Amino acid sequence: MVEPVPPVEPVETLAPVEPVETLAFDREHLWHPYTSMTDPAPVRLVTGARGCTLEVDGREVVDGMASWWAAIHGYRHPALDRALAEQAARFSHVMFGGLTHEPAVGLGRRLVEITPEPLRRVFLADSGSVAVEVALKMVLQHQRALGRPERTRVLTVRGGYHGDTFHPMSVTDPDGGMHALWQGVLPSQVFAPQPPAVGAGEAEIATWAAAVRELAAGHAHELAGVVVEPLLQGAGGMWPYPVECLRVLREVADEHGLLLVFDEIATGFGRTGHLFVSELVTPDVLCVGKALTGGYLTLAAVLTTDAVAPGVVMHGPTFMGNPLACAVASASIDLLLAGDWQAGVRRIGDHLAAGLEPLRALPQVRDVRTVGAVGVVQLDHDVDVAAATDAALAAGVWLRPFRDLVYAMPPYVISDDELDRLVAGIGAAVRAG
Ligand code: PMP
């Protein structure tokens, strides 16, 4: 047992800064996601967060985004704060090469237990994009081990999103993603049509399935795997699709000796109403992230079956298995499973479905759809993000629309009153955007 360290006097830190100075420095020096450094879009200052509310520009607003799917238990949850503080008091990080620790093993145990049976091997990665990189590396390596090094491409569907590093970008939608920016640099992948919408009839699914089968058969000699976001495509268009399509992909993969990879970085941990969509159709490789740590720290994981697991994976990030992230992830999973998360997700989904339905009558609204605890309003034009964000904030809600979509996937702890406010905020954003 290591002796506790005596308390230390706090060191003098930088003097408090006025919000206007903070924002001015940010504007001059910090890159934000997907925005220009030289002509930045406005950003707002967050000074606090608790439960389902954020303090933005000095005002409490309901968070509709759960920090991009991650903060499922809301902010400053005592159980997660405690897990983090307790681990920090032990040690915050040690290298994972040649060493291990209880937080990583405890998390590994939980992940193996809560995902489908054959997924027994766990690689801890440091972000969702890295998890997808590692998954694709494993898929290619698997084919090499089988003496098929020429199988270097993967099949995916249009409308997907898998992250911003190079291999994940290559399997992201070729039109909506960043392919145009990186022509000649991205690996070339095989794109099947986007799956039909939820509620599609048998004939429509059969047409899609035939196209997928034909494409897979034509490219089988060079394909290593299939990768999709199961059941719900997220950042590629917030597009829910029928589970039958996953069964087709499973069959196609088996028929041609391809590994099936499910990217559940957004859908995992209950967001669609299933703890993991992989419970419905079992993949060979599963990527999880985002809500894994309840939104506290960056961490992701790749789970595989024994059959896939390559002997050596030549990948070893500096912060692999970070103990703080692993400890808070275990606490987040325990918290999720201790409560009736399914009822919670259903309550949010029902509330959003009922609340957003009237927006369908607006002339600029093309579609309203909900799945699990996600609500989406699709417009007939690209949203004016600044105007929509302002309108949502004026209604007391934080939203981050993109393309033609105003959408929300709030923390599961959101109250009914906050849901009412969220629905009103989405309505305001739709009208203004
Ligand atoms: N896959 C999916 C389905 C995602 O939604 C995301 C993140 N938006 C990623 C991968 C990439 O994860 P990260 O941002 O943690 O790299």
Side-chain angles (χ1 to χ4, degrees), residues 282-302:
T282 312
D284 303 298
V285 182
L286 165 63
C287 300
V288 296
K290 287 190 183 281
L292 173 61
T293 62
Y296 270 53
L297 284 166
T298 178
L299 184 71
V302 183

Side-chain angles (χ1 to χ4, degrees), residues 127-129 161-163 229 263 265-266 290:
S127 72
S129 301
Y161 174 83
H162 297 282
E229 299 153 274
D263 173 351
I265 288 159
K290 287 190 183 281

Side-chain angles (χ1 to χ4, degrees), residues 101-333:
H101 41 76
E102 217 300 307
V105 174
L107 176 59
R109 245 192 245 288
R110 285 171 176 84
L111 288 174
V112 168
E113 206 168 287
I114 66 175
T115 55
E117 179 88 29
L119 299 166
R120 305 180 53 243
R121 310 277 182 164
V122 183
F123 188 99
L124 296 169
D126 27 10
S127 72
S129 301
V130 172
V132 175
E133 292 282 3
V134 169
L136 295 180
K137 201 185 254 193
M138 286 175 170
V139 165
L140 266 57
Q141 206 171 323
H142 175 76
Q143 299 292 352
R144 283 170 185 236
L146 294 175
R148 306 194 291 220
E150 67 288 357
R151 289 189 172 226
T152 56
R153 300 179 76 189
V154 289
L155 183 133
T156 184
V157 292
R158 287 179 176 266
Y161 174 83
H162 297 282
D164 294 341
T165 57
F166 280 90
H167 259 89
M169 271 198 294
S170 77
V171 283
T172 289
D173 185 68
D175 298 325
M178 288 175 263
H179 287 245
L181 268 180
W182 293 108
Q183 238 171 24
V185 178
L186 290 183
S188 148
Q189 312 294 12
V190 177
F191 287 91
Q194 186 172 45
V198 162
E202 263 177 44
E204 208 181 330
I205 295 175
T207 306
W208 176 83
V212 173
R213 286 184 205 285
E214 193 185 327
L215 205 57
H219 290 275
H221 61 284
E222 53 177 354
L223 286 177
V226 177
V227 56
V228 290
E229 299 153 274
L231 219 56
L232 171 66
Q233 295 183 313
M238 306 300 290
W239 182 255
Y241 63 90
V243 66
E244 287 80 2
C245 298
L246 300 176
R247 299 205 180 97
V248 170
L249 293 174
R250 178 71 271 176
E251 281 169 24
V252 165
D254 290 343
E255 187 180 342
H256 297 292
L258 315 178
L259 293 178
L260 182 60
V261 181
F262 280 176
D263 173 351
E264 293 221 47
I265 288 159
T267 56
F269 302 100
R271 183 57 73 176
T272 66
H274 308 279
L275 191 56
F276 298 99
V277 180
S278 302
E279 290 167 358
L280 308 178
V281 172
T282 312
D284 303 298
V285 182
L286 165 63
C287 300
V288 296
K290 287 190 183 281
L292 173 61
T293 62
Y296 270 53
L297 284 166
T298 178
L299 184 71
V302 183
L303 286 100
T304 77
T305 62
D306 287 348
V308 173
V312 180
V313 180
M314 291 306 285
H315 207 101
T318 307
F319 287 97
M320 184 165 178
N322 175 257
L324 293 173
C326 289
V328 79
S330 288
S332 175
I333 291 170

Side-chain angles (χ1 to χ4, degrees), residues 270 339-350 372-373 411-414 419:
D340 190 352
W341 63 267
Q342 266 166 316
V345 166
R346 213 175 306 121
R347 174 183 64 89
I348 296 168
D350 289 349
Y412 300 164
V413 297
I414 191 168
L419 273 167

